Every structure is written in structure tokens, then in C-alpha cells.
Amino acid sequence: RDALVHLPNPLVVGAMAKFRRSSRYLLATIFPGAPNQAREIVPGGFVRLDLAGTPFCLGTPLLSLSEQSRNKYLALWKLQW
């Protein structure tokens, strides 16, 4: 669940394409309102991520649970095939 926050945007986009081909739902950690455009990190680093926003565009999650940490949520989406 905390995996995507450790990847740069191009790898997140690639992972999302694979998820959409093979999964019906996605459960992931998000930081609502995080600036996705500035996520330039090396794999294994950490930068906050908001899958609802551009360039990932998953929209509003079906369910969002606070992780009792500053603006960190576990979110569930139904993926479109």
C-alpha cells in the first residue's frame, strides 16, 4: 500500500497501466492535494502522492481512511477496464 510513494511519476504511470489491466480495485496510500507534478525522485526515495490528481486521474476514491498521520490516507478505487 505504501509502494507507489517510493516511485517517480513515470514508474507510477506504468504501474497504474498494469493495475488497470489486471485488477478491479486499487488500495493505495495517498496524500490528498500533494503536488504530483513535482515528484522527481529516484526509485526508493519518498515523495507524497495524490492518485486522484493529474497525471494519474483516478478521481475521488470509493473509500478513504485516515492513517492518523498528517494528511495520509488509505484510499480505495474501482478501476475502469
Side-chain angles (χ1 to χ4, degrees), residues 8-63:
N9 281 356
L11 292 179
V12 174
V13 169
M16 297 300 299
K18 289 180 182 180
F19 292 148
R20 285 187 168 114
R21 287 192 303 267
S22 62
S23 302
R24 293 180 191 244
Y25 293 91
L26 174 66
L27 185 66
T29 298
I30 61 167
F31 296 83
N36 293 330
Q37 304 306 332
R39 294 188 75 253
E40 295 184 19
I41 62 170
V42 296
F46 172 81
V47 177
R48 288 178 166 84
L49 171 71
D50 184 2
L51 294 173
T54 304
F56 315 111
C57 303
L58 289 182
T60 304
L62 296 173
L63 178 66

